[in-house]
Amino acid sequence: MLLTWKDPCVYCDEKCSVLGLEGITSGRWYWEVKIENELHSKWTLGVCRKDVRRKGNYLESPQRGFWVMGKVNKSYFALTNPQTWLSSMQDLFRVGVFLDYSEGDVSFYNMIDGSHIFSFPPASFSGALFPYLMIMYGAVSMTVCSMESGSEGLPVPLNNFPPLEETLSTPMEGFSSGCGVDGAPPEAESLLLP
């Protein structure tokens, strides 16, 4: 799945977000998000419950069903209560997201150097969780990459997403639309819920 905001000059109270199509209710999951963004941008990624509010100006926190980390301009953060500012680090271009549903673990990794970024305190999940991407402003592109095998020393996926990338289709100005995946298996379904 791919989410792209094209206009780096647009700032607004609206957020654009997408969810994975199928919910996660058990097991250990791992995927990576490729990120391309300019300096002045704001985005988050992680997991959320399906029933969360995602219209208008909403807040992301574990208390509201979001376990996410992100970037605003030059700074990285985890949306805890209160917000946790992450130590100064290199720009993130590929983030690994690890979810262990039964252990209540949501963790993030910098896949350029394999370092740990942040782990939320263990949570007690109820209901399905979905991969989540959000862009608020800036020229940003985020792509969820399916993982066939894990890297040595890092979380290993026990379940995999189908090998599919898709572009968000939306009538809102400033977003790309269309899709196309060469060689995707016929049984693969879209990973997006608008």
Side-chain angles (χ1 to χ4, degrees), residues 18 22 42 50 62-63 66 69 92 115 118 123 126 130 139 146-147 169 171 173 175 178-179 186:
V18 293
E22 293 187 28
K42 183 175 182 180
K50 183 178 183 177
Q63 295 79 11
F66 293 91
M69 59 89 50
L92 295 175
S115 62
F118 181 80
S126 62
F130 292 80
S146 65
M147 301 304 301
S169 298
E173 189 174 310
F175 290 88
C179 75

Side-chain angles (χ1 to χ4, degrees), residues 31-188:
W31 62 96
E32 294 181 7
V33 180
K34 179 181 164 189
I35 304 159
E36 297 175 16
N37 67 139
E38 292 185 354
L39 178 64
H40 297 290
S41 60
K42 183 175 182 180
W43 53 261
T44 60
L45 61 89
V47 297
C48 72
R49 292 191 318 253
K50 183 178 183 177
D51 62 348
V52 296
R53 178 177 173 213
R54 295 189 307 120
K55 300 279 187 199
N57 192 9
Y58 58 90
L59 298 175
E60 300 162 316
S61 72
Q63 295 79 11
R64 295 176 183 263
F66 293 91
W67 290 266
V68 299
M69 59 89 50
K71 178 183 178 186
V72 60
N73 300 325
K74 294 181 183 180
S75 302
Y76 292 94
F77 57 87
L79 283 171
T80 55
N81 190 10
Q83 183 168 290
T84 301
W85 290 100
L86 303 175
S87 61
S88 181
M89 62 176 75
Q90 66 185 26
D91 280 341
L92 295 175
F93 299 106
R94 196 168 180 103
V95 174
V97 182
F98 175 72
L99 168 64
D100 186 329
Y101 191 94
S102 61
E103 295 294 319
D105 181 14
V106 178
S107 297
F108 301 92
Y109 297 85
N110 179 347
M111 297 315 299
I112 300 302
D113 64 10
S115 62
H116 175 257
I117 298 170
F118 181 80
S119 290
F120 280 90
S124 216
F125 300 130
S126 62
L129 296 178
F130 292 80
Y132 170 81
L133 304 176
M134 183 281 296
I135 298 174
M136 187 163 206
Y137 62 79
V140 182
S141 174
M142 293 192 287
T143 306
V144 173
C145 308
S146 65
M147 301 304 301
E148 296 303 321
S149 61
S151 303
E152 188 174 321
L154 297 173
V156 178
L158 298 179
N159 302 345
N160 293 308
F161 288 106
L164 176 66
E165 295 176 0
E166 185 168 327
T167 302
L168 171 69
S169 298
T170 177
M172 295 179 65
E173 189 174 310
F175 290 88
S176 63
S177 64
C179 75
V181 179
D182 295 331
E187 68 276 5

